[in-house]
């Protein structure tokens, strides 16, 4: 008899997006002539930068010719891409990361889930609330939690992110071994300063803990005072793994390319207390279970680091940031407290009522679709998330409709 991984049965069904879809379709059928503007989902809408499209085409041509054809590539990623990442994303910012410490992959989502394979079954895990749901669900699947009660799994340490703490959690007052941090944050759009990040690095050192730092939205940082990488903080190389992605940076959500940084000095501990290189373990895991990202996709990603590529990526990000500013200014002018939308594509709005009630009110009165904050955790209740990933004209129209509905 083939038995199953019973931990899957603990997973709370993810009703968030299906519930949204159900409400939107009900609205559409009762209001067939009303336009619906979707500002809910965090997927990009603009096409790939032209430099990536050209590099993609050229690489496909190489694959069609016997002299330039390539089969299996290096599992860790082609050196041309890892060197470009190390030089541009790290060394240029004073972060001491080398190409050997970068692992190219097909997504930060998969990497944040897969990385857990390196850790012991009994570790104590701290997750933010509200949270990118992947961090929680992958731990449930791996059997690292008890069952879910009142939106929280037994065995996890939830770190409340609220307006009172500026959406940066307090250091846990119980021992923890693995800490998830995500800045700029999804869903709140909040950012973290170097001083605040240093406290986490020091805490992790003190506890012999590890920080999983998700910087998938790093490209949206425009404020020069905000760190782009945890490795800009001294000592982070020993206690942090960082996840990045080309998804939101360069429109690769459908093309797939990301990377994870595991410094050679980053440590875990064996049962006897002896230190163990997590880099060596991840290298082993990656080369055993992953065959690398396709050559044309890596070429397309590497093209974003050329001078022209950097300009084009900047234009993409600036486009979404203009949307974000427009949304934030409009919502703030209506008297709602909000965070994000400055160094982030997300605006987190205190609706001052139940998340779903606010969602329904917005949909009914303006045809605008947002994401109810309750879907991201207990601390998300009362909030909604609006995403800046859409066409500017549509964003302007959505804001006019919201003003008419709520103003
Ligand atoms: N991390 C965060 C915080 C995200 O919001 C997302 C996507 O929405 C990801 C990671 C996933 O990135 P990728 O497309 O590289 O899997």
């Amino acid at each position: 008899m083939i038995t199953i991984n019973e931990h899957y049965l603990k997973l709370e069904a993810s009703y968030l997006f299906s519930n949204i879809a159900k409400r939107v379709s009900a609205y559409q059928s009762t209001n067939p002539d009303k336009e619906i503007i979707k500002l809910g989902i965090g997927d990009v809408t603009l096409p790939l930068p032209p430099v990536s499209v050209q590099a993609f085409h050229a690489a496909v041509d190489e694959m069609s010719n016997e002299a330039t054809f390539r089969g299996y590539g290096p599992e860790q990623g082609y050196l041309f891409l890892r060197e470009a990442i190390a030089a541009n994303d790290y060394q240029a910012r004073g972060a001491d990361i080398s190409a050997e410490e970068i692992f190219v992959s097909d997504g930060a989502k998969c990497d944040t889930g897969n990385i857990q394979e390196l850790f012991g079954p009994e570790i104590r895990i701290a997750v933010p609330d509200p949270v990118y749901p992947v961090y929680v669900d992958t731990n449930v699947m791996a059997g690292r939690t008890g069952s879910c009660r009142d939106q929280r799994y037994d065995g996890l340490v939830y770190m409340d992110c609220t307006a009172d703490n500026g959406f940066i959690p307090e250091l846990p007052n119980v021992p923890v071994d693995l800490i998830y941090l995500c800045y700029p944050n999804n869903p709140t759009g909040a950012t973290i300063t170097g001083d605040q990040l240093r406290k986490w690095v020091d805490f992790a050192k003190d506890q012999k803990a590890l920080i999983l730092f998700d910087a998938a939205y790093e490209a949206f940082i425009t404020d020069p005072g905000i760190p782009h990488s945890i490795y800009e903080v001294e000592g982070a190389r020993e206690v942090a793994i960082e996840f990045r992605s080309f998804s939101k940076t360069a429109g690769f959500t459908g093309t797939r390319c990301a990377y994870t940084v595991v410094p050679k000095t980053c440590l875990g501990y064996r049962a006897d207390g002896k230190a163990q290189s997590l880099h060596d373990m991840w290298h082993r895991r990656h080369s055993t279970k992953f065959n690398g990202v396709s050559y044309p996709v890596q070429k397309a990603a590497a093209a974003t680091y050329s001078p022209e590529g950097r300009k084009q990526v900047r234009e993409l990000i600036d486009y979404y940031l203009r949307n974000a500013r427009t949304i934030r200014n409009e919502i703030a002018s209506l008297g709602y407290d909000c965070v994000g939308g400055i160094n982030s594509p997300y605006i987190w709005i205190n609706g001052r009522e139940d998340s779903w009630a606010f969602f329904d009110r917005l949909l009914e009165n303006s045809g605008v679709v947002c994401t109810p904050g309750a879907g991201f955790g207990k601390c998300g209740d009362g909030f909604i998330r609006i995403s800046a990933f859409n066409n500017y004209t549509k964003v302007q129209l959505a804001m006019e409709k919201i003003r008419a509905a709520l103003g």
Side-chain angles (χ1 to χ4, degrees), residues 107-109 132 135 182 186 214 216-217 245 247-248 256 258:
K109 179 179 182 174
Y132 175 53
Y135 309 155
C182 172
N186 177 16
D214 187 341
Y217 296 96
S245 175
S247 283
K248 310 297 160 76
R256 309 308 309 146

Side-chain angles (χ1 to χ4, degrees), residues 42-46 48-49 105-109 216-217 219-220 244-259 301 316-317 320 389:
D43 194 2
V44 292
T45 54
L46 293 174
L48 293 173
S105 79
D106 58 352
K109 179 179 182 174
Y217 296 96
F220 292 84
R244 294 254 190 128
S245 175
F246 292 93
S247 283
K248 310 297 160 76
T249 307
F252 274 57
T253 51
T255 308
R256 309 308 309 146
C257 197
Y259 63 89
L316 284 182
I317 300 289
Y320 295 125
F389 292 120

Side-chain angles (χ1 to χ4, degrees), residues 99-346:
E100 284 172 69
E101 297 174 316
I102 288 156
F103 294 83
V104 176
S105 79
D106 58 352
K109 179 179 182 174
C110 330
D111 285 356
T112 53
N114 291 333
I115 198 83
Q116 291 178 50
E117 253 183 60
L118 307 192
F119 313 127
E122 306 296 337
I123 55 168
R124 295 154 300 185
I125 299 155
V127 292
D129 181 355
V131 66
Y132 175 53
V134 173
Y135 309 155
V136 171
D137 288 356
T138 51
N139 276 295
V140 177
M141 290 171 180
R144 290 198 164 92
T145 72
S147 42
C148 189
R149 275 182 293 172
D150 191 20
Q151 282 188 274
R152 291 191 163 184
Y153 285 92
D154 287 341
L156 291 183
V157 175
Y158 286 88
M159 307 185 290
D160 291 357
C161 300
T162 64
D164 287 345
N165 58 28
F167 302 94
I168 313 279
E170 316 299 338
L171 296 174
N173 54 14
V174 291
V176 294
D177 308 302
L178 188 67
I179 301 153
Y180 287 84
L181 293 178
C182 172
Y183 288 100
N185 188 265
N186 177 16
T188 69
T191 50
I192 193 163
T193 66
D195 285 342
Q196 287 166 326
L197 208 44
R198 187 167 304 111
K199 282 189 197 148
W200 284 95
V201 168
D202 292 344
F203 175 76
K205 272 191 162 172
D206 189 54
Q207 304 267 317
K208 289 193 171 166
L210 182 76
I211 298 171
L212 297 181
F213 191 74
D214 187 341
Y217 296 96
E218 161 278 334
F220 292 84
I221 297 173
T222 48
D223 185 336
I226 295 174
H228 288 241
S229 164
I230 195 165
Y231 304 118
E232 289 174 52
V233 173
E234 209 190 317
R237 281 182 53 87
E238 282 74 47
V239 293
I241 288 175
E242 181 165 294
F243 303 93
R244 294 254 190 128
S245 175
F246 292 93
S247 283
K248 310 297 160 76
T249 307
F252 274 57
T253 51
T255 308
R256 309 308 309 146
C257 197
Y259 63 89
T260 288
V261 185
V262 189
K264 291 196 159 177
T265 45
C266 193
L267 298 177
Y269 296 88
R270 301 180 190 193
D272 63 5
K274 212 168 144 207
Q276 166 68 39
S277 159
L278 292 175
H279 178 276
D280 291 353
M281 288 178 74
W282 187 242
H283 189 275
R284 185 64 201 261
R285 194 264 173 211
H286 209 67
S287 43
T288 303
K289 292 198 178 181
F290 188 61
N291 258 331
V293 173
S294 79
Y295 175 69
V297 168
Q298 292 195 56
K299 277 296 217 185
T304 63
Y305 293 104
S306 65
E308 193 51 28
R310 291 166 70 94
K311 207 169 128 250
Q312 290 173 8
V313 163
R314 195 64 255 157
E315 281 163 11
L316 284 182
I317 300 289
D318 286 346
Y319 183 93
Y320 295 125
L321 282 176
R322 178 173 62 156
N323 287 349
R325 251 188 336 268
T326 305
I327 297 165
R328 187 184 163 124
N329 290 345
E330 187 65 40
I331 299 292
S333 77
L334 292 173
Y336 289 91
D337 287 335
C338 47
V339 62
I342 296 171
N343 298 288
S344 155
Y346 298 123

